[in-house]
Amino acid sequence: MSRQPRSAVNRWFLGTSGLVLLAAGVWLCGAAGRLSGHLPSWWPVPRGALLDRSRLGELRDHAWWTPAVLTLTAVLTTALVLGLLAQLSVRRPSRLALAAPDSHLRGAALADTLRRRTETVDGVARCRVRMARHRGRIHIAQHVRIEPGSSPRAVLRSLSDVITEARNAVAPHTLTVQVRVRSTAHRAPHVH
């Protein structure tokens, strides 16, 4: 399903940004007056302002400074705008127009029906369904927990029938489904 790589990129980007901001925050907090006396000798403590007027003037005298700052600003702004547009292009399907004239199906109703139908399959303990629509395609992510002792292969065989029903229900739209199956841990009864 195409949302999976996007989720990984989102997590990587957020994690990296968070680490950079955390490191910068810790460094700046360590540079504060009261804390700087308690830091180890190797801690890089800036003396005075991070970039005073004279240092900024020296940097502006270099031919690379202004193009580098402008390029970095343009690249960061473009990356953030493209990331925002990519996030906005994936939306939850609210109403899906079906093949029959004047017929629509609510996305939430389809997700709920698919969840309920999946939970009626022998061996399924629980099911969660997430839906998204991207460029005319409907993406479904199913997280299925099976009961202890159930055969994942048999459950998946039965789920293929449920997925076929869902594909027929949303025609003419294209439906892609990702199913994750996990086994529910068998718990021993408590003795008091």
Side-chain angles (χ1 to χ4, degrees):
M1 188 168 138
S2 68
R3 281 184 60 88
Q4 198 62 25
R6 179 174 293 153
S7 296
V9 170
N10 284 347
R11 282 191 225 115
W12 179 86
F13 179 74
L14 287 174
T16 304
S17 302
L19 287 175
V20 168
L21 291 174
L22 179 66
V26 167
W27 183 67
L28 288 173
C29 284
R34 281 192 278 162
L35 293 176
S36 60
H38 301 290
L39 294 173
S41 60
W42 54 265
W43 190 268
V45 178
R47 306 292 179 224
L50 291 176
L51 195 59
D52 59 359
R53 288 181 187 265
S54 62
R55 179 70 179 132
L56 185 58
E58 291 172 14
L59 287 173
R60 285 183 178 161
D61 289 340
H62 295 289
W64 58 266
W65 174 254
T66 302
V69 169
L70 290 176
T71 302
L72 181 63
T73 304
V75 166
L76 285 175
T77 302
T78 303
L80 291 172
V81 167
L82 289 175
L84 176 65
L85 292 176
Q87 294 302 317
L88 294 177
S89 70
V90 174
R91 55 191 172 98
R92 298 190 182 282
S94 54
R95 288 180 57 168
L96 305 170
L98 300 178
D102 295 328
S103 62
H104 292 83
L105 177 64
R106 286 183 337 150
L110 177 62
D112 188 53
T113 303
L114 187 58
R115 179 189 60 80
R116 289 175 190 232
R117 178 71 177 88
T118 300
E119 288 178 346
T120 63
V121 171
D122 286 336
V124 173
R126 282 192 318 265
C127 176
R128 286 185 305 143
V129 176
R130 285 186 306 148
M131 290 184 59
R133 185 168 59 188
H134 183 65
R135 294 184 183 153
R137 293 177 178 242
I138 301 168
H139 303 285
I140 296 177
Q142 280 187 298
H143 298 272
V144 178
R145 288 211 178 255
I146 61 173
E147 296 168 348
S150 296
S151 166
R153 182 172 290 164
V155 169
L156 284 174
R157 246 186 263 122
S158 299
L159 283 180
S160 68
D161 296 336
V162 174
I163 292 168
T164 302
E165 289 174 14
R167 282 196 174 112
N168 292 337
V170 298
H173 300 283
T174 304
L175 179 69
T176 57
V177 180
Q178 177 186 29
V179 179
R180 290 190 178 182
V181 178
R182 289 194 176 163
S183 179
T184 304
H186 180 70
R187 294 184 179 166
H190 292 289
V191 179
H192 295 287

